[in-house]
Amino acid sequence: MQSLPVDVLYYFLALSLATYITFAIDKRAAQLNRRRISERSLQILSLLGGWPGALLAQQTLRHKSQKRSFRIGLWLAVMINSAILIWLTDQGYLSSFSLIDWVS
């Protein structure tokens, strides 16, 4: 298996930070009885690569850590995302991945 390009790690870091912040915003909205961020949106962020931030938010913020269906969905997102990442790396698709090229 090949190693991941540093841009892939930056992608996961950025998406994890965004996901963590989104969890924090939703936690605060729950505390204030305000409009919430949908669980579907939180799961999509996790599936796109923000799952490390989601797992960290569950532990540090104690948010979405008790709801079993959400936890199962999050772990499914982790497994699916990891499997896709392994497959893309194994196929060599990430060997020349560049965030700058991807964004533009």
Side-chain angles (χ1 to χ4, degrees):
M1 188 193 259
Q2 303 170 10
S3 63
L4 290 175
V6 70
D7 282 356
V8 173
L9 299 176
Y10 290 149
Y11 169 83
F12 276 93
L13 182 63
L15 209 47
S16 291
L17 180 61
T19 302
Y20 185 92
I21 291 169
T22 304
F23 268 70
I25 291 168
D26 186 54
K27 169 84 177 195
R28 186 71 176 146
Q31 292 170 333
L32 297 174
N33 266 344
R34 293 199 175 142
R35 186 167 181 208
R36 306 279 306 277
I37 297 168
S38 72
E39 286 187 1
R40 182 178 183 180
S41 296
L42 296 173
Q43 295 287 22
I44 288 171
L45 282 171
S46 300
L47 183 61
L48 291 174
W51 57 267
L55 292 175
L56 185 62
Q58 277 191 323
Q59 295 300 310
T60 60
L61 302 174
R62 304 309 260 160
H63 189 52
K64 298 291 184 187
S65 59
Q66 296 299 313
K67 191 169 184 182
R68 182 182 169 109
S69 62
F70 188 86
R71 287 193 335 257
I72 290 170
L74 178 57
W75 281 106
L76 281 172
V78 170
M79 289 186 288
I80 291 167
N81 188 267
S82 297
I84 291 170
L85 183 63
I86 290 167
W87 183 80
L88 289 172
T89 302
D90 190 49
Q91 298 298 311
Y93 292 121
L94 296 180
S95 61
S96 62
F97 179 81
S98 169
L99 277 176
I100 294 170
D101 293 340
W102 187 66
V103 171
S104 58

